[in-house]
Each structure stands twice: as structure tokens, then as C-alpha cells.
Amino acid sequence: MAVQYILTEYVSQAMAQAVYDKLEDGTFTGRIPSCKGVVAFGSTLRACEDELRSTLEDWILVGLKLGHSLPVIAGVDLNREPTREPMDSM
């Protein structure tokens, strides 16, 4: 039975929505349209993708810390209050 983490799934689904463009100087820019303000730049497409993932992760953590409403992506909703199960149910 594989363990699936909600934050990992959210990042994966958001990155699947990423849009990249090559700029006139040969560098790249990337953004995730559903995540307002998540934009990154890189000298290569891979560097841009890595920077975009890092920016997204930081954006999520700051949003959660400040109580911002985050977009629901591919059915993954980080805005729900966590549910806790009693220990005896395990």
C-alpha cells in the first residue's frame, strides 16, 4: 500500500499546469496560471522548472501560514481543516 501525501500531490498537479516560454535572450520563464504570483525564471528550461517548483512550494507554505485561500487543483484542496482520527481506530 503506497502512502500518498496531499502536499506532494498538490505540487505535482500544479506543476503539471505550468506554462513555459522562451524569452528573446534565450532564457526561460515559467508560471502556474491557477496560482497567482507563482512565476520563475531560469537560464535553461530545467533550471526554470526547478525554480518554479521551489517558488510554488514557498508560495504554498506562506499561504497556509497566513491563512490565504489556495486554489483547488485537480481536486486537491489544501484549505480543508485537517481531520484527526482517534488512536484506537488504528
Side-chain angles (χ1 to χ4, degrees):
M1 182 169 154
V3 176
Q4 186 175 9
Y5 297 100
I6 189 167
L7 191 55
T8 302
E9 181 65 16
Y10 190 89
V11 170
S12 295
Q13 292 298 326
M15 289 299 294
Q17 297 178 358
V19 176
Y20 299 95
D21 292 307
K22 189 170 187 177
L23 303 176
E24 291 178 10
D25 65 357
T27 62
F28 292 85
T29 182
R31 62 187 173 86
I32 300 173
S34 60
C35 300
K36 188 175 179 180
V38 177
V39 177
F41 299 89
S43 57
T44 65
L45 183 56
R46 179 63 187 190
C48 184
E49 181 182 23
D50 290 345
E51 186 64 27
L52 187 63
R53 179 179 299 277
S54 177
T55 301
L56 173 64
E57 290 168 352
D58 291 345
W59 180 84
I60 292 167
L61 294 175
V62 169
L64 291 172
K65 173 79 174 169
L66 297 177
H68 294 168
S69 179
L70 300 176
V72 176
I73 297 179
V76 181
D77 186 357
L78 297 181
N79 301 300
R80 295 181 302 167
E81 286 295 319
T83 56
R84 300 188 192 329
E85 295 182 19
M87 289 297 289
D88 59 343
S89 68
M90 300 180 106

